[in-house]
Amino acid sequence: MDDPHDDIANMTYEQALKALEDVVRRLESGEVALDESISLYERGEKLRAHCQARLDAAQARIEKIVAGPDGAPVGTRPFDEEA
């Protein structure tokens, strides 16, 4: 696995998600030897953690624009904060 795309830390969310889907597909096929299944599972867990970290980072950056009485933006608040 010397493919540069295998460096999980440098993967985009989309690349990591596709790689995770491939791991799941291979594991669900039942056509993988036990040792390879364990390696795939470990890789899948690393990919899952990477995807979650990317989602958490994205959510932290998403903010709603708060409009003042004149409709002009006056600030921001966290995306998941109630209006």
Side-chain angles (χ1 to χ4, degrees):
M1 290 193 174
D2 292 330
D3 186 343
H5 293 289
D6 286 334
D7 185 7
I8 294 171
N10 293 323
M11 286 182 169
T12 65
Y13 172 80
E14 291 78 8
Q15 290 169 329
L17 184 59
K18 182 179 181 327
L20 180 57
E21 290 170 346
D22 291 343
V23 165
V24 170
R25 192 173 7 265
R26 290 185 65 196
L27 287 171
E28 287 179 342
S29 77
E31 298 176 7
V32 190
L34 178 60
D35 288 340
E36 188 177 357
S37 291
I38 292 169
S39 294
L40 282 170
Y41 183 85
E42 290 170 343
R43 178 168 171 74
E45 179 54 29
K46 289 176 185 175
L47 288 162
R48 185 210 58 79
H50 180 72
C51 286
Q52 187 62 55
R54 299 286 272 191
L55 286 173
D56 290 346
Q59 182 175 358
R61 293 190 334 238
I62 297 172
E63 298 177 327
K64 288 184 179 176
I65 295 174
V66 180
D70 63 352
V74 294
T76 60
R77 66 173 176 251
F79 178 72
D80 58 355
E81 184 178 292
E82 291 298 317

